Amino acid sequence: MLLQYIREKDREVLPHLKNVVCTETQSPQKIINLELTFSENEWFTNEKLTLKVTFKKDQDDEIEESEGCLIDWKDGKDLSKKKIKKKQKNKKTGETRTIVKSVPAESFFNAFESRKAPETKDDDGDEDE
């Protein structure tokens, strides 16, 4: 399921993956727990990365929420961010400077961010009809 999200830059970390444990429960709704164990590496200090995915009741293919762990990235090694350089011109002096900004990047490790599915509005509550 997660293999489709692995990017070229993520592949360097994967040789450090020592163990994968995946458990699934069905009561009262489907929950998948994923635990990845890594050897010491140059990217992050975590030994284990965990992800809990809860699916909507009676809908095993729709995710209600995912609860990931915080990845403790080492300085300059965060694969979920990329640095871009922008030139900025001062309006008063006309001087140009270059600033470096971090922006989100596509990465397998983004899967470990906690997220909730957007709320959907129910049409059952309309009393105007």
Side-chain angles (χ1 to χ4, degrees), residues 73-105:
W73 295 103
K74 293 182 179 177
D75 284 344
K77 297 292 187 172
D78 189 342
L79 297 175
S80 66
K81 304 250 186 294
K82 64 181 176 183
K83 293 184 189 237
I84 59 168
K85 291 181 181 180
K86 281 189 163 185
K87 292 194 178 204
Q88 202 174 53
K89 191 172 184 178
N90 187 309
K91 290 181 182 177
K92 291 181 181 177
T93 64
E95 289 182 27
T96 302
R97 67 178 181 161
T98 302
I99 59 168
V100 178
K101 190 176 176 182
S102 287
V103 295

Side-chain angles (χ1 to χ4, degrees), residues 6-48:
I6 296 175
R7 303 289 178 246
E8 192 62 39
K9 63 183 177 179
D10 299 328
R11 293 180 192 274
E12 296 177 41
V13 182
L14 295 183
H16 295 279
L17 182 60
K18 295 188 325 188
N19 193 25
V20 177
V21 176
C22 185
T23 57
E24 182 178 325
T25 58
Q26 289 286 343
S27 179
Q29 64 200 90
K30 181 178 174 181
I31 296 174
I32 295 177
N33 286 296
L34 184 64
E35 180 181 275
L36 283 68
T37 305
F38 289 86
S39 61
E40 191 172 324
N41 62 73
E42 64 181 274
W43 290 274
F44 48 83
T45 60
N46 308 62
E47 181 183 349
K48 293 183 180 185

